[in-house]
């Protein structure tokens, strides 16, 4: 008997067909991938299989006469032989679920979260400890720490422990590694593969191709329809235009046209001068040096990759450069302004896109654009003209009155980036801008980055996608608060004798001595 059977399942949200007649099966003990672009229907399928969402009325066992005449099969979905609609209590006892956004309570401690989830399933941490020992033991010493204070990798381990504490037979993981560095991702997948040895069936979605290849088989969903089921290599090859698009073509030169962003810099900062300059920068919290004596510079129009594992110090460094935090010691300038004394001027001359989008979900696309343009001090006539141009360039004209919260993830990210550079800043800071986005959308996003750099905007970007690191002009890699490597991708691969940036990053990150908690 299969662990999961899905037969002719559909789900609609108004006029939107999230799932359209989807069928597949997963064997017991299999590691199975559910993959596809943003808005493909993956999360909807997870929620149906976890009995958190009802399929369309047809899927409640009341198919139309037309469908019965066509295939004589009633739409159903079962987990461990139990129907997800009529036997949902039995299903919920047998499944563990990690949703895309961490299902942890940030204000509860590690131990309190675990006890809460154990109670939900009518068990105790002590009774289920053997099921989570290998994973939970790695974070148990932090049991009194609030979940909100953990790193991404630590949150992953806690969320996985919470999903396993009641000893489920089937584990559903909806993009569990989004926003987590490559080394932590590898560690999590090693844990998942060890769970397979205990006979647990695993169904996971992921935008990372190396994780797709960890699955035994994958199902490819696209706009709610199942386009193929097979081995990862077979599916990735058959649909390589979607999963393995060619690298976005870079402009012939990053040298900006004369006067392209001249208004973004104070006198003397345009041209060959460094747009960002940092010397012996330190940020300490008590005796702990989150940023420990770093020095570097970034040129105008350069795409500068700022990499590091969770807890390496890169976010703290970025906060100092953007005026959100003050250094303990050292010096630095951004667009010619001192990061110690002129942080308010810095904020006016930069763009910033955080990992958690800086858009207002309850405003429309055009309302968000106008709001941020006004904050940047742009004039009404200029805002109106540039808004129309931006909507046409993004092909969002028909969606200008759409609420941002209803847009697919990739659409939100492209809009957030475009808004962050709407005022033509000297530098735009991008904090993991493509986290959780499918490869085709990421390629489109990088075309926007290249275009901005070509116009003279310096791009300072953090990312956990090592293929994106290859797109940068230069890269720095932080380890334990220090810059361990700085150079072009080719220079770093040659210096550390590694075949690609993923291997370079892993080689350096594993030399860390301090915990990433």
């Amino acid at each position: 008997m299969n662990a999961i059977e899905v037969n002719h399942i559909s789900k609609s949200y108004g006029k939107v067909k999230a799932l359209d007649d989807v069928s597949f099966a997963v064997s017991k003990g299999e590691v199975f991938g559910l993959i596809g672009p943003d808005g493909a229907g993956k999360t909807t399928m997870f929620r149906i299989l976890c009995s958190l969402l009802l399929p369309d009325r047809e899927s409640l066992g009341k198919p139309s006469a037309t469908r019965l005449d066509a295939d004589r099969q009633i739409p159903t979905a079962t987990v461990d032989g139990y129907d997800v609609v009529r036997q949902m209590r039995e299903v919920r006892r047998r499944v563990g679920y990690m949703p895309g956004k961490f299902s942890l309570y940030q204000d509860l401690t590690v131990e309190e979260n675990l006890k809460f989830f154990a109670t939900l399933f009518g068990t105790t941490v002590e009774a289920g400890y053997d099921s989570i020992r290998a994973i939970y033991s790695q974070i148990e010493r932090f049991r009194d720490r609030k979940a909100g204070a953990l790193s991404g990798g630590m949150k992953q381990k806690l969320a996985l422990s919470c999903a396993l504490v009641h000893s489920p037979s089937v584990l559903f993981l909806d993009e569990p590694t989004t926003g987590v560095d490559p080394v932590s991702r590898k560690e999590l997948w090693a844990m998942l593969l060890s769970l397979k040895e205990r006979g647990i069936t695993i169904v996971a979605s992921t935008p990372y191709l190396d994780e797709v290849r960890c699955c035994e088989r994958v199902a490819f969903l696209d706009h709610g329809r199942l386009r193929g089921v097979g081995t990862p290599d077979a599916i990735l090859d058959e649909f390589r235009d979607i999963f393995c698009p060619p690298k976005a073509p870079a402009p012939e030169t990053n040298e900006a046209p004369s006067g392209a962003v001249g208004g973004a810099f104070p006198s003397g900062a345009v041209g060959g001068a460094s747009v960002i300059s940092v010397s012996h920068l330190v940020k300490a919290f008590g005796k702990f040096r989150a940023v420990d004596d770093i020095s570097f510079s970034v040129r105008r129009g350069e795409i500068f990759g700022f990499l590091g594992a969770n807890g390496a110090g890169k976010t703290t460094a970025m906060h100092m450069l953007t005026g959100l935090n003050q250094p303990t010691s050292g010096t630095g300038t951004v667009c010619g302004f001192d990061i110690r004394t002129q942080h308010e001027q810095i904020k006016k001359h930069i763009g910033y896109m955080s990992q958690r989008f800086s858009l207002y979900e309850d405003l429309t696309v055009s309302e968000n654009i106008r709001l941020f343009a006004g904050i940047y001090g742009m004039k009404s006539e200029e805002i109106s003209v540039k808004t129309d141009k931006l909507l046409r360039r993004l092909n969002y004209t028909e969606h200008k009155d759409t609420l941002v919260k209803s847009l697919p993830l990739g659409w939100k990210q492209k809009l957030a980036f475009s808004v962050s550079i709407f005022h033509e800043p000297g530098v735009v800071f991008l904090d993991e801008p493509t986290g959780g986005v499918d490869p085709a959308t990421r390629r489109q996003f990088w075309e926007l980055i290249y275009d901005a750099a070509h116009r003279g905007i310096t791009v300072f970007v953090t990312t956990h996608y090592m293929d994106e690191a290859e797109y940068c002009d230069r890269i720095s890699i932080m380890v334990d608060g220090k810059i361990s490597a700085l150079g072009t991708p080719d220079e770093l691969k040659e210096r550390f004798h590694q075949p690609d940036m993923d291997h370079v990053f892993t080689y350096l990150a594993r030399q860390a001595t301090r915990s990433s908690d």
Side-chain angles (χ1 to χ4, degrees), residues 61-81:
K62 299 177 182 178
S64 66
T66 302
R67 173 167 285 172
L68 277 174
D69 291 340
D71 54 25
R72 308 301 299 174
Q73 293 191 43
I74 296 176
T76 57
T78 61
V79 175
D80 264 2

Side-chain angles (χ1 to χ4, degrees), residues 418-440:
S418 299
V419 167
S420 72
I421 62 170
F422 196 68
H423 59 307
E424 298 289 340
V427 185
V428 61
F429 290 89
L430 307 177
D431 190 3
E432 297 178 26
T434 56
V437 177
D438 63 86

Side-chain angles (χ1 to χ4, degrees), residues 128-202:
Y129 191 81
D130 286 343
S131 298
I132 63 174
R133 183 191 305 273
I135 300 167
Y136 184 59
S137 61
Q138 299 180 41
I139 58 172
E140 193 168 8
R141 66 184 185 276
F142 304 108
R143 58 180 172 270
D144 295 326
R145 182 171 297 182
K146 288 187 177 181
L150 300 175
S151 70
M154 301 282 278
K155 286 180 180 178
Q156 272 187 324
K157 293 171 185 176
L158 176 56
L160 187 55
S161 296
C162 291
L164 291 170
V165 71
H166 63 296
S167 303
S169 57
V170 181
L171 182 61
F172 293 100
L173 307 167
D174 190 359
E175 298 190 0
T177 57
T178 296
V180 180
D181 67 81
V183 174
S184 296
R185 291 198 294 108
K186 290 180 173 68
E187 291 176 351
L188 182 78
W189 273 88
M191 295 176 196
L192 295 180
L193 296 177
S194 71
L195 295 177
K196 171 183 167 58
E197 297 174 3
R198 290 163 41 190
I200 297 176
T201 303
I202 298 170

Side-chain angles (χ1 to χ4, degrees), residues 263-264 266 318-326 333-353 372-377 419-429:
M318 186 179 288
H319 284 173
M320 287 188 283
L321 295 177
T322 55
L324 298 175
N325 212 331
Q326 296 299 299
T333 59
V334 175
C335 294
F337 297 108
D338 191 294
I339 63 173
R340 282 180 166 277
T341 62
Q342 298 176 296
H343 38 87
E344 290 303 320
Q345 289 94 323
I346 288 174
K347 292 176 185 177
K348 295 177 182 178
H349 290 84
I350 65 171
Y352 183 73
M353 178 180 166
F372 283 97
I375 292 173
Y376 293 138
V419 167
S420 72
I421 62 170
F422 196 68
H423 59 307
E424 298 289 340
V427 185
V428 61
F429 290 89

Side-chain angles (χ1 to χ4, degrees), residues 351-361 365 368-369 372 376 390 394 396 404 407-423 428-430 433-434 445 448:
Y352 183 73
M353 178 180 166
S354 67
Q355 188 176 359
R356 296 176 178 85
F357 309 112
S358 53
L359 298 173
Y360 288 88
E361 298 272 294
V365 170
N368 266 279
I369 296 172
F372 283 97
Y376 293 138
L390 176 59
L394 295 178
Y396 286 6
V404 165
L407 296 176
L409 176 63
W411 287 43
K412 290 180 184 179
Q413 287 177 304
K414 288 189 287 187
L415 178 61
F417 174 71
S418 299
V419 167
S420 72
I421 62 170
F422 196 68
H423 59 307
V428 61
F429 290 89
L430 307 177
T434 56
F445 190 91
L448 296 177

Side-chain angles (χ1 to χ4, degrees), residues 105-113 116 145-148 158:
Y105 290 89
Q106 304 297 311
D107 291 332
L108 296 183
T109 66
V110 168
E111 187 174 45
E112 288 169 341
N113 267 282
F116 173 76
R145 182 171 297 182
K146 288 187 177 181
L158 176 56

